[in-house]
């Protein structure tokens, strides 16, 4: 019998129907997953029945015998606090920043009613979700924990009151590949151990494959296809489902045909980056230690590693937008000075593209001004008329039309914003792009289209690319070689397919297994 059942649900916001005809059933001890691209209605379908969105739900929705459509405020509060646990996408924003971990766990456990949990019991809850030094963690605040640790705290809080239904809304999208596997394995253990019914939302097929019993595919507010996960993945019937499957990068897909590469363009030798320890602590944090690498003309190099491995710090040092404590960056054999000492021509050679496409664009500027900014600084002699032509050409290169010139960043989707960010990076004709997690914030369909765009730009403009990511499967679609980092040091490097077929380092093996 289903713990949670939705029949013919429709959802409206401000009179506009955004979801219709949704049917979901979740049984005790089983997992039902909803997948789809951004904006397909996944999260709206999961959270609206509990009053957690501005939407109004219609249809039939029952949770353990409670009719959520007809429920009054008291019954809805009971359904949320006693029967349901929630695991959200961004653990840092979902946890209360000014409360200790212990206080937040105590508050979550109190939803089941008295008695008050002892400190030992709270520590046991953290140990159950795999947190080390559990007693110490009780006195820490969320900002002191890593992303994976915060997500484990959120899971501990979600199950502290012994709910019957667990709703996990994109619980792994903010984590690196190895942590994703660990968190999904933990959710599986808890679900089976406690007989939880789990509703899982994800845009990442790899995150649900092997974990969900039933799969529901949504697009534009409607269910496109549903059924047992194994049969739906192996034999999808609908074209949209097939496209979603194809967009999800897999290591067992055929190797891509990549272009030939030329001479060495950039070399990094003995690069190290250190930061002072925060607060009163003495000493320094070694973020990157003695790293050497090179990039050839027309080559794409993947820098891969887990959270905190030093990927982004290394990328910023190479691009000249972050500190470089020691070491040398050479361009075609000649040392590059630090960013402030570089000539305008030197600064134009390497351009960055950042992880969060919307946050990386000035919200008060139009797309025209955002893309034109590098020209104004790097090529100030260019006249306004010619600059406008260069901006339009850059937008065309990233497959956006003239109508985008007057758009504001807030009116762009994630994929559109990332294309604008790429246009801004290529408008000054750089030789090397440094992309820091440029597809990790995007759903598979959009992320796949960005990878295709990068391959096209690489071929038409003979661009070299440093592609920083935690996702080896996505990097394989673009990159010739791979550098694997762990704790700020290189643990493995080589040809992409050779490393994937025969990984030597434990870190590489874990990342490949997670992909």
């Amino acid at each position: 019998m289903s713990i949670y059942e939705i029949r013919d649900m429709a959802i409206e916001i401000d009179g506009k129907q955004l979801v219709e005809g949704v049917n979901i059933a979740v049984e005790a001890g089983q997992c039902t997953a909803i997948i789809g691209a951004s904006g397909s209605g996944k999260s709206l379908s999961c959270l609206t029945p509990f009053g957690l969105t501005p939407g109004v739900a219609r249809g039939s929705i029952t949770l353990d015998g409670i009719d959520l459509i007809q429920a009054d405020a008291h019954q809805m509060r009971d359904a949320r606090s006693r029967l349901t646990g929630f695991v959200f996408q961004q653990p840092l924003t979902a946890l209360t920043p000014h409360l200790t971990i212990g206080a937040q766990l105590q508050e979550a456990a109190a939803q089941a009613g008295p008695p008050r949990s002892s400190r030992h019991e709270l520590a046991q809850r953290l140990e159950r979700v795999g947190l080390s030094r559990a007693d110490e963690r009780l006195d820490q605040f969320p900002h002191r924990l890593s992303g994976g640790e915060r997500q484990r705290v959120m899971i501990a809080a979600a199950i502290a009151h012994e709910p019957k239904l667990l709703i996990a809304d994109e619980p792994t999208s903010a984590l690196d590949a190895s942590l994703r596997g660990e968190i999904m394995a933990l959710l599986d253990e808890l679900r089976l151990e406690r007989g939880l019914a789990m509703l899982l939302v994800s845009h990442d097929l790899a995150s649900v494959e092997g974990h969900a019993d039933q799969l529901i595919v949504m697009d534009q507010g409607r269910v496109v296809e549903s059924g047992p996960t194994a049969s739906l993945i192996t034999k999808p019937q609908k074209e949209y489902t097939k496209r979603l499957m194809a967009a999800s990068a897999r290591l067992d897909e055929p190797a891509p045909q990549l272009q030939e590469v030329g001479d060495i363009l950039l070399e990094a030798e003995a690069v190290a980056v250190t930061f002072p320890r925060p607060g009163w602590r003495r000493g320094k944090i070694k973020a990157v230690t003695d790293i050497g690498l090179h990039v050839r003309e027309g080559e794409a190099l993947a820098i891969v590693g887990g959270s905190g491995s030093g990927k982004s710090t290394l990328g910023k040092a190479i691009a000249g937008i972050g500190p470089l404590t020691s070491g040398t960056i050479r361009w075609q054999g000649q040392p590059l000075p630090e960013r402030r000492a570089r000539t305008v021509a030197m600064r134009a050679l390497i351009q960055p593209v950042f992880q969060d496409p919307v946050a990386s664009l000035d919200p008060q500027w139009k797309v025209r001004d955002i893309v034109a900014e590098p020209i104004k600084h790097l090529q100030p002699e260019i006249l306004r008329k010619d600059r406008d032509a260069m901006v339009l050409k850059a937008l065309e290169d990233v497959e956006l039309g003239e109508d985008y010139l007057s758009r504001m960043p807030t009116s762009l989707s994630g994929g559109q914003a990332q294309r604008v960010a790429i246009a801004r990076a290529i408008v000054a004709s750089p030789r090397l792009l440094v992309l820091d997690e440029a597809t990790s914030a995007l759903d598979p369909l959009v992320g796949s289209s960005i990878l295709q765009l990068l391959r096209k730009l690489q071929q038409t403009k003979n661009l070299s690319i440093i592609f920083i990511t935690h996702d080896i499967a996505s990097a394989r679609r673009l990159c010739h070689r791979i550098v694997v980092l762990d704790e700020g040091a290189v643990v493995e490097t080589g040809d992409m397919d050779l490393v994937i077929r025969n990984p030597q380092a434990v870190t590489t093996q874990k990342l490949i297994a997670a992909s």
Side-chain angles (χ1 to χ4, degrees), residues 101-229:
I101 300 303
Q104 299 193 57
L105 275 182
Q106 189 70 259
E107 183 180 46
Q111 295 180 82
R116 181 180 173 86
S117 298
S118 68
R119 184 179 179 88
H120 177 67
E121 289 171 330
L122 294 178
Q124 283 185 318
R125 296 182 192 277
L126 293 183
E127 289 174 353
R128 179 61 194 89
V129 296
L131 269 178
S132 60
R133 309 195 315 274
D135 189 71
E136 176 186 331
R137 308 287 190 184
L138 293 175
D139 297 319
Q140 292 182 332
F141 292 90
H143 72 274
R144 295 293 305 277
L145 307 181
S146 69
E149 290 168 345
R150 286 192 289 263
Q151 195 63 289
R152 291 176 187 274
V153 169
M154 184 177 290
I155 293 171
I159 63 172
H161 58 292
E162 303 289 340
K164 293 188 175 183
L165 172 68
L166 185 65
I167 294 180
D169 185 11
E170 300 276 14
T172 62
S173 65
L175 307 176
D176 67 52
S178 57
L179 285 175
R180 288 180 185 183
E182 292 177 12
I183 293 299
M184 288 307 304
L186 172 62
L187 289 173
D188 281 344
E189 289 177 17
L190 295 171
R191 171 171 58 89
L192 297 173
E193 176 186 296
R194 297 167 182 250
L196 280 168
M198 186 163 79
L199 185 58
L200 174 65
V201 177
S202 180
H203 64 244
D204 182 10
L205 180 63
S207 291
V208 302
E209 186 178 359
H211 301 283
D213 301 289
Q214 298 288 320
L215 202 58
I216 296 172
V217 182
M218 290 190 69
D219 182 35
Q220 298 181 352
R222 295 177 176 83
V223 174
V224 174
E225 192 168 358
S226 63
T229 302

Side-chain angles (χ1 to χ4, degrees), residues 32 96 160 249-250 269 289 305 323 405 411 420 436 439 484:
T32 296
T96 306
R250 305 172 66 96
E269 181 180 344
T289 306
L405 288 170
S411 70
V420 170
D436 188 4
T439 61
V484 183

Side-chain angles (χ1 to χ4, degrees), residues 266-272 288-295 301-303 314 318 324 326-330 481-485 488-494:
L266 177 137
E267 292 176 277
E269 181 180 344
V271 169
V288 169
T289 306
D290 194 29
I291 287 183
L293 56 82
H294 68 270
V295 185
L301 175 69
I303 299 180
L314 175 61
I318 290 172
L324 174 64
S326 62
T328 305
I329 307 294
R330 292 190 179 91
R481 291 186 302 112
I482 184 172
V483 173
V484 183
L485 299 188
V490 175
V491 295
E492 190 161 1
T493 184

Side-chain angles (χ1 to χ4, degrees), residues 399-435:
E399 300 167 1
L400 295 179
E402 186 176 358
D403 56 314
Y404 281 86
L405 288 170
S406 59
R407 301 263 301 262
M408 303 295 286
T410 52
S411 70
L412 304 176
S413 68
Q416 291 166 347
Q418 195 62 292
R419 288 174 187 269
V420 170
I422 294 171
R424 177 179 60 184
I426 65 172
V427 73
S429 300
R431 301 283 301 281
L432 172 66
L433 294 185
V434 178
L435 298 110

Side-chain angles (χ1 to χ4, degrees), residues 8 81 93 107 132 180 208 223 244 253 390 409:
D8 198 28
S81 63
T93 57
E107 183 180 46
S132 60
R180 288 180 185 183
V208 302
V223 174
L244 199 60
E253 64 189 22
M390 292 172 67

